[in-house]
Amino acid sequence: MKKKPFAFRISESTYQTLKRKARRGKVTMTEFLERAITDKEVVVVDGVQELIGELKAIGRNLNQLTTLANMGKVDAVYLAETKAQLSGIYEKLSALCEVNR
């Protein structure tokens, strides 16, 4: 639990840079600074949000199919298209990981 407040002064341009980097890393400015101070790496991979959205959509569809199957409304499902989508996402993720090494 964080109990100790800490304040310091920085220039407006440095503040905006900090704010932009924290936002880009999807963390608070406090968390960004803590990671920077403790030498924890902050990694931002451009393009991941798009892939996360695609994965969430596939997950929602699979959950809906599971619900329908449990209700007895669906007997068989053709998942070749879903498998192809997941393969495409995997390839994009692999490419992003290679670029960011």
Side-chain angles (χ1 to χ4, degrees):
M1 180 173 282
K2 298 175 186 175
K3 294 183 179 182
K4 189 72 176 166
F6 183 78
F8 61 97
R9 297 192 180 280
I10 55 176
S11 68
E12 181 64 30
S13 64
T14 302
Y15 176 81
Q16 293 303 324
T17 300
L18 170 62
K19 189 175 176 180
R20 184 179 65 254
K21 287 184 176 186
R23 190 178 324 117
R24 186 167 177 237
K26 306 267 188 282
V27 296
T28 64
M29 290 198 303
T30 299
E31 187 175 351
F32 184 85
L33 287 170
E34 285 177 342
R35 287 181 182 185
I37 291 167
T38 58
D39 292 328
K40 291 182 183 174
E41 192 172 359
V42 177
V43 179
V44 175
V45 180
D46 292 324
V48 169
Q49 285 305 115
E50 172 190 319
L51 298 177
I52 289 172
E54 290 179 36
L55 286 172
K56 285 181 180 180
I58 291 170
R60 280 190 299 273
N61 290 341
L62 289 174
N63 284 338
Q64 290 171 353
L65 286 171
T66 302
T67 300
L68 291 172
N70 287 333
M71 294 169 62
K73 294 184 178 184
V74 173
D75 293 327
V77 179
Y78 185 69
L79 294 175
E81 184 179 329
T82 302
K83 183 179 176 185
Q85 288 174 335
L86 287 171
S87 294
I89 291 170
Y90 176 78
E91 289 174 11
K92 290 176 186 176
L93 275 173
S94 295
L96 284 174
C97 290
E98 289 299 318
V99 167
N100 287 293
R101 284 189 178 174

